[in-house]
């Protein structure tokens, strides 16, 4: 059998293969390391008038991480997308500089967060490498479809058994280690489940539907899962007051369903259901009502007559203007509260790097999303396509929800800006997410093995002639 | 599956573009509004990031800046003789900036567009940004005399150089120390709350922002209107009986005691402050003419000196009310500055100069703006002004204002005791206006009002309470000239 399949390999796609682009990646990585080091120097000069003492160490550390990552990618995923690793490194590096810069401000909690973040980033890169080394083929994940579902549910339910932190029950507190946000990991695990499930069920979902008023309506038994996921995401919101995560899961599910079935009716259903859910939740939960009020009137004074966090964030953006005040010279500490280094990190970008820096960062995120979707297009197997589009879609929705929330484009939900924001779970989970995408892109772009001189083939030829 | 994936790609593109549009909207279109919002603390932080320019009186700064160890505000305002100068300087604090501190905030912080060149040079040479100075026209000795004269009484003094309109003294009591509220700490907040809740309103600038019934001091304006009309003259009998029956009523108006007011001449009527005569003149001339004359002297409009003053009001009114307004009662209300302006115009031979308290604005290297005396108008002719001067000098030499006499100097004045409350039930206001005359014209005209005092109500009189203060202020100016 095996010899047959080898001889039949004349139909293999582009046996010559795409260029590996590893040297492009290396060149871009140099920029991704140098730019944050300059930013680091910039902060030191602005705050103390001298180059910061840790600059060389920081530069070497970041360079070392990037270098090791690059070498391992070269070894274990030689055909992977060349843009993803440099962009992740650049965003992570800039995030570290921004957090270190905010560490210089007295009174911004949590204090001295940069060393911790550096450690989490190193762990994130380590997990990234582990995925590349041990996950030889992303299709292996398909075997764990239902285990993934169970794991995701456990991860999502876990925070309910821990006391709420700052009003939201999305944290798991492990003594001695700190707090983790299992939702960030659940994001990846549940994508694996969706991809595996939909790959199996896509035909039933796509074809077994009735036509009603020009729309293809799915059968009730096929509608079940989407309703279940919708209910689940609302429950997460109600029990854990986590609007962002529920929106993220639901949006991701609709995106993957649409890609799997190619039926627009699913998207319409998804929009209708999320609109209905949003209205119900917004009209019953005071927490959400406050968020909507703040969104509609971001500059309104608080109940105590003070300037609200939302207004402070807007003032940060406005004061940044076109070119920003310069790193280290802004006043985002005025935002106060507990989220200056995490949820509101973009306010520091907006104020200190200005509109220019803000657009640059958003374009970097846009590029990452685009590379992810490109990977989905290039993937040859439906599971890989679904997984890649699900992961990139989730990432896109997260970026939009956070950045849109902070800039008051949409109501604010507490989520972290991937790579930039302070938070261990987030940075680790996102490195793992892009490791999986790199693995898919490597498989997709890897040239098929050339028809090697095979002893069996030789023999057949001899017999024929 | 590639077709829907492409659509998802477009969708993600739209999300990113929406974010880009939004940040452009916030950081470009709305940026100016957000960055200069008075709720944006950066505005305050920036304001106190550099030493502020000073407000200068006679070459000496009455303000200063010290460096603090506060987190937000690097420099803090200091005041010398804060309570005395408060009606002039106001305060610049985290709460707000008032009076000259507020009006010329941009010069003092160095942000004024006219300092752009300076700022650019400073930026290039790496020098820290400097604010400009506000040089006032005030006379320190006169201000001290006014402030100390008022003492713990509630009241105000405004003194003007009649020849130029330069404001020489502007005192208001009870006052407050602006230095007590400029800090960025709980103590300053407590002081701020206490000052705002104080029933005596120490932060009210009574010389510019409070209006009082001017009482008998207004009679000089009524006399001016009488002379200007040509129907009356200084030593001609007025033909008005005492007591005088207010038009359209059966209410009679007269004076306490028995002054010779019946059919008095203007000179005698002013000397004894005859209510009957001046109410009669006001009624005779009519509301329109009286109002017009008051407006020529600056009534019925806000003035900017450059601090905004309250509007003094001579209203459109019915005949009996108009007659009462002619003797400074009814709804006739004036700021002490307005009454000082009337006095100054008479002392300056009828020419009213625009009052101002800022001589020039100085940038770190150059004069940004130099104020020149400006004529506001000529409400009365020079000859009529001289006649009123004679009348006012009679008041001081031999009338109700003898307390205003200064040895060797010609002084003209007028007392006032403004009744207030229903049926004159509350302690009246004591007024005194006066000017000193030298060979070179008059260097000072002053208006003093004392709101209330410890004196018994029937002892409250302009001559007794207010005249000594006016005298001290005039003397301070005269001595400074020698």
């Amino acid at each position: 059998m095996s010899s047959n399949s080898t001889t039949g390999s004349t139909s293999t796609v582009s046996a010559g293969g795409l260029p590996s682009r590893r040297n492009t990646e290396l060149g871009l990585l140099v920029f991704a390391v140098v730019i944050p080091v300059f930013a680091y120097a910039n902060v030191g000069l602005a705050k103390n008038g001298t180059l910061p003492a840790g600059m060389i160490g920081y530069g070497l550390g970041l360079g070392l991480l990037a270098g090791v990552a690059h070498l391992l990618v070269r070894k274990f995923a030689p055909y992977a997308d060349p843009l993803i690793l440099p962009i992740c490194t650049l965003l992570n590096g800039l995030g570290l500089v921004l957090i270190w810069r905010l560490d210089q401000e007295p009174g911004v909690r949590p204090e001295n967060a940069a060393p911790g973040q550096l450690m989490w980033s190193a762990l994130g890169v380590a997990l990234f490498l582990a995925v590349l080394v041990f996950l030889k083929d992303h299709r292996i994940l398909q075997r764990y479809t239902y285990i993934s579902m169970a794991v995701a549910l456990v991860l999502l339910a876990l925070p309910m058994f821990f006391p709420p932190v700052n009003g939201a029950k999305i944290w798991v507190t492990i003594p001695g280690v700190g707090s983790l946000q299992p939702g960030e990991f659940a994001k990846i695990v549940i994508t694996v489940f969706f991809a595996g499930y939909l790959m199996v069920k896509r035909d039933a979902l796509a074809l077994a539907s009735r036509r009603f008023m020009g729309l293809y309506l799915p059968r009730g038994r096929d509608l079940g899962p989407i309703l279940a996921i919708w209910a689940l995401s609302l429950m997460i919101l109600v029990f854990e007051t986590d609007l962002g995560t529920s929106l993220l899961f639901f949006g991701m599910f609709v995106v993957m369903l649409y890609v799997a079935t190619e039926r627009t009716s699913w998207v319409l259903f998804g929009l209708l259901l999320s609109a209905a859910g949003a209205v119900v939740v917004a009209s019953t939960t005071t927490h959400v009502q406050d968020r909507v009020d703040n969104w509609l009137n971001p500059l309104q004074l608080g109940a105590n007559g003070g300037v609200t966090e939302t207004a402070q964030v807007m003032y940060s953006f406005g004061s940044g203007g076109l070119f920003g005040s310069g790193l280290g010279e802004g006043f985002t500490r005025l935002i106060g509260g507990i989220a200056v280094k995490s949820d509101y990190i973009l306010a520091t970008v907006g104020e200190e790097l200005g509109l220019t820096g803000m657009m640059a960062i958003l374009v970097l995120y846009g590029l990452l999303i685009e590379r992810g979707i490109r990977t989905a297009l290039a993937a040859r197997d439906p599971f890989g396509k679904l997984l890649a589009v699900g992961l990139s879609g989730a990432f896109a929705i997260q970026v939009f929800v956070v950045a849109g929330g902070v800039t008051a484009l949409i109501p604010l939900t507490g989520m972290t800006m991937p790579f930039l924001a302070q938070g261990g779970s987030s940075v680790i989970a996102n490195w793992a997410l892009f490791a999986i995408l790199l693995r898919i892109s490597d498989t997709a772009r890897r040239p098929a093995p050339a028809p090697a001189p095979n002893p069996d083939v030789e023999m057949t030829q001899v017999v024929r002639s | 599956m590639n077709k829907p994936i492409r659509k998802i790609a477009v969708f993600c593109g739209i999300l990113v573009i929406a974010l880009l549009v939004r940040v452009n909207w916030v950081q470009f279109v709305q940026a100016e509004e957000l960055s200069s919002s008075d709720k944006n603390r950066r505005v305050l932080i920036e304001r106190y990031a550099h030493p502020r320019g000073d407000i200068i009186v006679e070459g000496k700064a009455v303000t200063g800046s010290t460096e603090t160890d506060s987190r937000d505000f690097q420099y803090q305002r200091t005041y010398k003789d804060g309570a005395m100068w408060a009606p002039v300087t106001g305060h610049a604090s985290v709460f707000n900036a008032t009076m000259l501190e507020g009006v010329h905030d941009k010069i003092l912080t160095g942000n004024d567009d006219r300092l752009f060149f300076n700022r650019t040079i400073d930026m290039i040479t790496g020098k820290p940004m400097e604010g400009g100075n506000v040089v006032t026209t005030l006379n320190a000795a006169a201000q001290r005399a006014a402030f100390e004269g008022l003492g713990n009484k509630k009241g105000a003094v405004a003194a003007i150089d009649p020849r130029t309109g330069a404001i020489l003294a502007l005192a208001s009591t009870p006052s407050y120390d602006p230095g007590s509220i400029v800090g960025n700490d709980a103590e300053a907040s407590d002081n701020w709350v206490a000052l705002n809740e104080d029933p005596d309103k120490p932060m009210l600038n009574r010389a510019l922002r409070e209006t009082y019934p001017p009482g008998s001091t207004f009679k000089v304006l009524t006399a001016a209107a009488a002379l200007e009309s040509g129907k009356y003259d200084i030593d001609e009998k007025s033909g008005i009986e005492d007591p005088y029956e207010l038009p359209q009523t059966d209410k009679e108006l007269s004076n306490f005691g028995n002054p010779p007011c019946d059919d008095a001449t203007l000179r005698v009527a002013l000397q004894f402050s005859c209510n009957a005569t001046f109410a009669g003149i006001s009624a005779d001339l009519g509301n329109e003419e009286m109002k017009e004359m008051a407006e020529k002297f600056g009534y019925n409009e806000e003035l900017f000196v450059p601090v905004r003053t309250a509007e003094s009001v001579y209203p459109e009114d019915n005949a009996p009310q108009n007659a009462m307004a002619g003797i400074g009662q009814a709804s006739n209300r004036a700021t002490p500055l307005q009454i000082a302006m009337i006095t100054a115009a008479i002392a300056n031979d009828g020419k009213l100069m625009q009052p101002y308290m800022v001589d020039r604005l100085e940038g770190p290297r150059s004069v940004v703006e130099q104020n020149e005396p400006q004529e506001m108008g000529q409400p009365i002719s020079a000859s009529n002004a001289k006649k009123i001067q004679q009348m006012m000098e009679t008041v001081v030499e031999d009338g109700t204002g003898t307390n205003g006499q200064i040895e060797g100097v010609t002084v003209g004045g007028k007392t006032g005791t403004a009744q207030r409350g229903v049926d004159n039930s509350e302690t009246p206001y004591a007024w005194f206006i006066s000017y000193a005359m030298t060979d070179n014209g008059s260097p000072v005209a002053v208006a003093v009002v004392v709101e209330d005092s410890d004196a018994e109500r029937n002892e409250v009189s302009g001559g007794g309470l207010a005249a000594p203060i006016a005298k001290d202020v005039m003397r301070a100016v005269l001595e400074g000239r020698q």
Side-chain angles (χ1 to χ4, degrees):
Chain A
M1 280 303 284
S2 68
S3 65
N4 267 348
S5 65
T6 319
T7 45
S9 68
T10 42
S11 61
T12 315
V13 206
S14 57
L18 296 160
S20 75
R21 297 279 187 219
R22 288 279 68 79
N23 294 333
T24 314
E25 182 182 85
L26 183 60
L28 289 174
L29 267 177
V30 171
F31 278 105
V33 173
V34 166
I35 291 171
V37 170
F38 272 125
Y40 196 74
N42 196 337
V43 175
L45 287 172
K47 297 301 281 187
N48 310 314
T50 53
L51 289 176
M55 193 174 107
I56 296 178
Y58 171 79
L60 286 178
L62 194 63
L64 197 68
L65 275 183
V68 170
H70 171 72
L71 288 176
L72 282 172
V73 169
R74 220 174 242 276
K75 173 92 172 63
F76 290 99
Y79 293 94
D81 190 288
L83 254 66
I84 289 178
L85 178 61
I87 296 177
C88 292
T89 310
L90 178 56
L91 287 173
N92 200 161
L94 283 177
L96 282 168
V97 171
L98 290 170
I99 292 162
W100 180 75
R101 175 260 166 282
L102 287 170
D103 281 349
Q104 317 293 305
E105 300 287 351
V108 176
R109 286 173 295 150
E111 279 169 27
N112 210 18
Q117 183 71 3
L118 186 60
M119 185 196 77
W120 292 119
S121 304
L123 272 178
V125 176
L127 186 60
F128 171 88
L129 298 174
V131 170
L132 282 185
V133 171
F134 294 109
L135 185 67
K136 296 280 186 221
D137 190 331
H138 63 268
R139 277 166 291 195
I140 297 169
L141 292 174
Q142 206 175 334
R143 295 181 203 154
Y144 303 105
T145 301
Y146 290 96
I147 295 176
S148 298
M149 183 189 71
V151 171
L153 285 179
V154 168
L155 284 175
L156 279 178
L158 218 48
M160 287 187 216
F161 306 104
F162 288 86
V165 179
N166 310 316
K169 291 192 99 174
I170 53 174
W171 299 89
V172 169
T173 327
I174 305 166
V177 178
S179 302
L180 283 176
Q181 249 178 305
E184 289 280 352
F185 299 98
K187 178 175 76 183
I188 301 174
V189 181
I190 208 162
T191 317
V192 172
F193 159 65
F194 283 164
Y197 175 82
L198 288 173
M199 207 202 73
V200 177
K201 295 284 166 102
R202 54 192 283 241
D203 289 337
L205 282 165
L207 301 173
S209 53
R210 280 168 299 190
R211 223 179 129 84
F212 177 70
M213 288 175 68
L215 282 178
Y216 286 99
L217 291 191
R219 293 182 309 192
R221 74 181 100 141
D222 300 323
L223 201 66
I226 196 173
L227 285 173
I229 294 296
W230 179 65
L232 188 70
S233 61
L234 278 186
M235 266 159 61
I236 296 168
L237 168 60
V238 172
F239 285 112
E240 302 178 355
T241 53
D242 189 1
L243 185 66
T245 308
S246 63
L247 194 67
L248 176 67
F249 283 13
F250 188 70
M252 182 176 68
F253 183 58
V254 171
V255 163
M256 293 176 74
L257 204 53
Y258 169 62
V259 171
T261 60
E262 307 193 20
R263 287 242 179 266
T264 322
S265 51
W266 285 112
V267 176
L268 289 177
F269 259 105
L271 288 176
L272 280 176
L273 286 178
S274 56
V279 168
V280 170
V281 170
S283 53
T284 52
T285 323
T286 53
H287 170 76
V288 178
Q289 278 165 356
D290 291 347
R291 292 274 169 98
V292 173
D293 281 347
N294 281 338
W295 166 57
L296 293 174
N297 310 298
L299 299 183
Q300 204 169 47
L301 292 181
N304 58 358
V307 181
T308 59
E309 275 183 22
T310 334
Q312 290 287 15
V313 172
M314 294 311 284
Y315 291 139
S316 294
F317 282 117
S319 305
L322 276 185
F323 300 108
S325 60
L327 275 172
E329 295 182 73
F331 293 96
T332 34
R333 63 176 156 82
L334 295 176
I335 296 170
I338 43 118
V340 181
K341 293 174 186 174
S342 49
D343 296 22
Y344 291 133
I345 193 98
L346 273 185
T348 305
V349 175
E351 177 165 5
E352 306 199 342
L353 300 176
L355 176 61
T356 324
M358 191 71 181
M359 300 228 294
I361 296 275
L362 288 176
V363 167
L364 284 177
Y365 280 112
L367 270 176
L368 262 187
I369 296 163
E370 188 261 355
R371 297 317 288 189
I373 294 175
R374 217 181 159 78
T375 300
L377 280 172
R380 295 179 196 142
D381 62 304
F383 176 74
K385 276 184 185 295
L386 278 172
L387 190 55
V389 82
L391 292 175
S392 338
F395 188 77
I397 292 170
Q398 181 159 1
V399 167
F400 178 75
V401 166
V402 184
V406 172
T407 55
L409 176 61
I410 56 170
L412 185 74
T413 55
M415 271 208 291
T416 51
M417 203 67 201
F419 294 117
L420 276 190
Q422 179 245 334
S425 342
S426 170
V427 74
I428 294 180
N430 283 302
W431 274 113
L433 189 155
F434 281 99
I436 297 172
L437 273 177
L438 267 194
R439 169 53 67 218
I440 299 172
S441 80
D442 176 54
T443 317
R445 297 173 81 250
R446 187 191 296 271
N454 188 313
D456 296 342
V457 176
E458 287 294 317
M459 263 202 301
T460 321
Q461 280 173 342
V462 169
V463 168
R464 223 190 244 172
S465 60
Chain B
M1 280 195 269
N2 282 357
K3 208 173 125 200
I5 292 179
R6 283 181 213 282
K7 285 188 181 163
I8 295 295
V10 172
F11 170 70
C12 291
I14 290 170
L15 290 187
V16 173
I17 286 167
L19 290 176
L20 289 173
V21 170
R22 177 63 186 176
V23 292
N24 272 279
W25 179 260
V26 174
Q27 297 201 262
F28 184 69
V29 181
Q30 289 189 317
E32 179 63 33
E33 187 190 330
L34 287 169
S35 63
S36 58
S37 160
D38 56 350
K39 298 286 185 310
N40 188 341
R41 200 170 169 83
R42 287 165 189 80
V43 177
L44 279 177
I45 291 176
E46 173 60 26
R47 169 181 292 175
Y48 296 105
H50 320 282
R52 196 173 162 85
D54 283 317
I55 295 173
I56 291 172
V57 176
E58 292 182 338
K60 285 187 207 130
V62 295
T63 58
S65 290
T66 50
E67 202 159 352
T68 68
D69 44 5
S70 147
R71 192 144 59 91
D72 281 357
F73 307 123
Q74 202 182 346
Y75 289 92
Q76 182 176 313
R77 202 55 158 161
T78 58
Y79 294 91
K80 294 179 193 106
D81 286 323
M84 183 170 101
W85 291 111
V88 177
T89 59
H91 61 261
S93 71
V94 294
F95 310 106
N96 57 3
T98 61
M99 305 300 145
L100 285 183
E101 292 269 40
V103 173
H104 286 307
D105 190 50
K106 284 195 162 178
I107 286 285
L108 291 165
T109 55
N111 281 319
D112 194 278
D113 287 340
R114 291 170 287 183
L115 295 175
F116 177 77
F117 190 62
N118 278 303
R119 278 205 307 274
T120 314
I121 290 180
D122 284 350
M123 205 161 76
I124 293 167
T125 57
K127 265 179 65 183
M129 192 165 125
E130 275 180 81
N133 292 333
V134 175
V135 181
T136 68
T137 61
L138 279 111
N139 178 314
Q143 178 77 6
R144 186 166 299 281
F147 183 67
E148 285 174 357
L150 287 169
N152 51 16
K153 297 186 275 287
K154 199 188 272 187
V157 175
I160 302 177
D161 182 336
R163 297 162 303 181
T164 59
I167 293 175
L168 302 172
L170 211 56
S172 169
T173 54
S175 190
Y176 70 105
D177 179 10
S180 68
I181 53 169
V182 293
N184 180 37
D185 50 20
E187 196 192 337
S189 304
D190 292 346
N191 290 339
W192 171 253
V193 172
L195 282 174
N196 275 295
E197 286 173 356
D198 191 327
D200 284 340
K201 297 191 202 159
M203 286 198 291
L204 174 66
N205 186 341
R206 293 179 164 77
L208 301 182
R209 300 269 173 91
E210 179 70 299
T211 58
Y212 301 90
S216 302
T217 58
F218 192 77
K219 284 171 186 165
V220 298
L221 192 142
T222 310
L227 291 171
E228 281 289 298
S229 73
K231 293 184 191 169
Y232 301 88
D233 205 356
I234 172 167
D235 287 320
E236 269 175 28
K237 294 280 185 189
S238 64
I240 297 165
E241 291 175 0
D242 182 36
Y244 172 75
E245 192 173 293
L246 283 176
Q248 300 163 15
T249 64
D250 51 4
K251 209 175 154 193
E252 289 196 330
L253 205 59
S254 184
N255 280 60
F256 183 73
N258 239 338
C261 286
D262 193 34
D263 196 17
T265 64
L266 286 184
R267 188 197 293 270
V268 170
L270 197 72
Q271 186 182 349
F272 293 98
S273 200
C274 295
N275 289 335
T277 316
F278 288 102
I281 291 171
S282 181
D284 178 29
L285 296 177
N287 182 244
E288 200 172 312
E289 204 169 325
M290 284 300 291
K291 189 167 162 241
E292 205 174 295
M293 182 52 75
E295 281 170 2
K296 281 186 187 167
F297 278 96
Y299 262 74
N300 292 350
E301 61 172 339
E302 287 182 340
L303 293 168
F304 294 87
V305 295
V307 174
R308 182 184 61 81
T309 72
E311 185 180 308
S312 301
V313 183
Y314 192 99
E316 211 165 290
D317 224 333
N318 58 27
Q321 290 288 313
N322 177 58
M324 291 297 285
I327 58 167
Q329 297 287 163
S331 31
N332 183 344
R333 295 188 70 86
T335 61
L337 181 76
Q338 172 63 64
I339 298 303
M341 283 162 67
I342 296 171
T343 317
I346 290 163
N348 194 35
D349 293 345
K351 190 191 281 181
L352 177 62
M353 300 302 287
Q354 175 87 39
Y356 68 103
M357 61 200 274
V358 174
D359 180 52
R360 60 185 184 273
L361 305 176
E362 292 180 337
R365 290 177 193 81
S366 58
V367 173
V368 170
E369 185 183 311
Q370 173 75 52
N371 283 335
E372 301 293 343
Q374 277 180 344
E375 199 181 317
M376 217 175 140
Q378 177 96 32
I380 54 173
S381 69
S383 61
N384 282 338
K386 288 210 160 69
K387 286 177 188 170
I388 301 171
Q389 286 173 19
Q390 286 180 36
M391 288 156 63
M392 288 175 74
E393 280 153 24
T394 309
V395 169
V396 173
E397 278 157 25
D398 197 16
T400 53
T402 49
N403 279 343
Q405 289 173 358
I406 302 174
E407 210 172 318
V409 183
T410 312
V411 174
K414 179 74 193 84
T415 57
T417 309
Q419 302 174 343
R420 66 192 179 115
V422 178
D423 290 332
N424 195 14
S425 54
E426 290 173 59
T427 324
Y429 295 125
W431 277 95
F432 191 75
I433 57 171
S434 66
Y435 62 87
M437 192 60 82
T438 65
D439 301 338
N440 268 340
S442 167
V444 56
V446 57
V448 177
V449 60
V450 178
E451 260 184 60
D452 60 7
S453 67
D454 304 331
E456 288 295 311
R457 63 154 282 125
N458 54 5
E459 286 173 17
V460 172
S461 75
L465 279 172
I469 303 173
K471 181 172 145 183
D472 286 348
V473 172
M474 290 189 294
R475 199 164 10 186
V477 175
L478 290 168
E479 278 167 8
R481 284 165 37 82
Q482 283 157 9

